[in-house]
Amino acid sequence: MKIKQISVFLENKKGCLSEVTGVLSDGGINIRALSLADTADFGVLRLVVDEPARCVEILSKASIIAKETDVIAVEVEDRPGGLDKILKVFDANGINVEYMYATVEKTGNKAVVVFKIDEYDKALDALGRVNIQLVSTEKLKG
């Protein structure tokens, strides 16, 4: 199953990140995972939140440009080689990982990693064949 990620493009200047988190805080949006990548001029804040559609709406009302993207969240064994096991499944099935980041969540003794990939149906099928569990938006709500 796919989940929604929110991408926010920010100027790389003081206060921009805080503006976004303030808007989300005021709107009651809970951040479950995040990644921030930057260049000299701008940054891309990627978020997995408890209410993606409402998050985009709240950001839009605050004149903050946000985009929804499909990603998958995967349970990864929290031990040496856990991530490698997942990446080998993708590699064996010709699936490209565009980027990834971890969440604040754990499910039992497993970490949760968010992947942006190039072929979702193929990835979902490949992971299912080797019994790797996906994590839903509902489960990430906590």
Side-chain angles (χ1 to χ4, degrees):
M1 83 207 66
K2 299 176 205 172
I3 63 173
K4 295 294 182 184
Q5 168 190 273
I6 311 303
S7 297
V8 180
F9 298 92
L10 304 169
E11 285 186 76
N12 194 355
K13 65 179 189 177
K14 291 180 185 177
C16 286
L17 181 58
S18 177
E19 178 186 0
V20 172
T21 59
V23 167
L24 297 179
S25 176
D26 292 346
I29 298 293
N30 193 13
I31 299 169
R32 307 309 299 160
L34 64 89
S35 169
L36 179 62
D38 71 328
T39 66
D41 299 322
F42 69 93
V44 179
L45 175 64
R46 294 181 173 110
L47 305 163
V48 174
V49 299
D50 60 345
E51 297 181 68
R54 197 163 75 77
C55 178
V56 170
E57 180 183 324
I58 287 168
L59 291 170
S60 178
K61 285 181 182 175
S63 299
I64 298 170
I65 298 171
K67 175 183 151 189
E68 281 186 296
T69 305
D70 289 331
V71 293
I72 58 173
V74 178
E75 289 185 350
V76 177
E77 293 178 30
D78 192 8
R79 62 167 183 78
L83 179 59
D84 185 54
K85 178 180 176 181
I86 306 296
L87 294 175
K88 280 188 175 17
V89 171
F90 290 153
D91 188 46
N93 288 276
I95 298 163
N96 183 48
V97 175
E98 295 177 20
Y99 56 82
M100 60 182 240
Y101 52 95
T103 73
V104 297
E105 295 296 313
K106 269 188 98 162
T107 58
N109 64 344
K110 296 184 179 179
V112 178
V113 177
V114 176
F115 292 90
K116 170 72 169 84
I117 53 177
D118 62 350
E119 296 183 67
Y120 289 100
D121 292 336
K122 194 173 180 180
L124 297 174
D125 180 59
L127 293 170
R129 285 194 313 268
V130 293
N131 297 317
I132 293 173
Q133 296 300 306
L134 299 174
V135 180
S136 68
T137 300
E138 292 302 313
K139 195 168 189 178
L140 286 174
K141 284 184 179 183

